[in-house]
Amino acid sequence: MSLFVTIDGPVGVGVTTATALVAEELRAAGRPTRETRQPSDSTLGNLASAGSEIYRGRAMAHLVAADRYMHASNLHPVLSRGEVVVCDGYVPTSLVRHVMDGVTRDDVWRMNRDADVPRLAVILNADQDVVLERLAGRVPRNRYERQPKVTEWECGAFKEVARFLMDAGWNVLHLDTSEMDPDAVAWSVVQALHLPRVGQPTAAVAATVPTAEGGS
């Protein structure tokens, strides 16, 4: 059975690292797995990524949504072959970033409500101070990351988005990673998928796996 897994969260919480480690765990469990991201590495996706200083508001939101639907058409054959797809960034990030950019959440949702619903939508979060510590020394990569108090805003916004998507019927794993290392985060995601894993977690990793919010 194919699996589509998405991972989102505030800048600095470790989404890209988690995506890579979850894919690694799934391959170790014998599951053919493909890592990807949104905006995608396509002409349209790269336009959205490179154009964050040019396109704003609804224009950017529509551009990212268009890339999402195009990307999905490319992923459907992969999923139909039984491969797992783990995606760095998805609808939850749009519901945070584009609202930050002045688009209403209802409008962002209307643009994305026909997007493929993942088997599991992982939303990572952490205490604001923890995220700021992880970001220390990192140069902001786009205008979203340069916004004043962006970490405080994103941490709160992703909590709201997790609840919103649960109410919409999505299966959401909302993880507080404040006291988790990256391996523990990956282990929690794999556990939530109810798939076998090669080997057992170390006592240190197992001790850091928290009880997470989830919906089914």
Side-chain angles (χ1 to χ4, degrees):
M1 183 177 296
S2 63
L3 290 168
F4 179 40
V5 182
T6 60
I7 305 179
D8 294 84
V11 174
V13 81
V15 170
T16 299
T17 298
T19 300
L21 290 175
V22 168
E24 181 180 316
E25 291 285 355
L26 290 169
R27 293 187 190 106
R31 297 270 181 156
T33 301
R34 178 173 301 194
E35 297 170 55
T36 189
R37 62 177 173 85
Q38 290 192 357
S40 68
D41 188 19
S42 67
T43 301
L44 188 56
N46 288 330
L47 177 64
S49 296
S52 65
E53 305 297 328
I54 302 171
Y55 308 110
R56 297 173 181 267
R58 292 177 65 87
M60 175 59 85
H62 278 294
L63 182 57
V64 171
D67 174 61
R68 179 161 294 131
Y69 289 114
M70 181 67 73
H71 193 206
S73 68
N74 294 328
L75 292 178
H76 289 164
V78 177
L79 290 164
S80 67
R81 291 196 297 268
E83 294 186 44
V84 183
V85 173
V86 184
C87 187
D88 177 343
Y90 198 56
V91 173
T93 295
S94 286
L95 287 166
V96 171
R97 287 285 178 91
H98 302 318
V99 171
M100 183 193 305
D101 214 16
V103 186
T104 69
R105 186 174 69 181
D106 286 346
D107 279 348
V108 177
W109 181 242
R110 277 192 288 270
M111 294 176 201
N112 290 277
R113 64 187 175 190
D114 293 325
D116 292 346
V117 177
R119 179 69 62 83
L120 181 66
V122 180
I123 297 181
L124 307 181
N125 220 319
D127 292 339
Q128 175 187 340
D129 291 343
V130 173
V131 178
L132 287 172
E133 183 178 348
R134 294 174 183 174
L135 284 171
R138 170 171 165 165
V139 177
R141 294 179 298 182
N142 54 54
R143 63 184 172 84
Y144 300 109
E145 297 181 16
R146 294 194 298 271
Q147 293 293 319
K149 298 185 177 180
V150 63
T151 297
E152 178 182 358
W153 196 91
E154 284 196 332
C155 287
F158 272 105
K159 290 179 182 178
E160 294 179 7
V161 165
R163 290 191 289 267
F164 174 80
L165 291 173
M166 289 178 195
D167 289 343
W170 282 38
N171 185 28
V172 176
L173 177 67
H174 187 203
L175 283 176
D176 183 344
T177 69
S178 300
E179 298 182 3
M180 300 175 70
D181 64 31
D183 287 329
V185 173
W187 169 247
S188 295
V189 174
V190 172
Q191 284 287 90
L193 290 169
H194 306 294
L195 298 174
R197 181 192 186 196
V198 175
Q200 298 294 324
T202 65
V205 171
T208 60
V209 177
T211 300
E213 296 179 50
S216 57

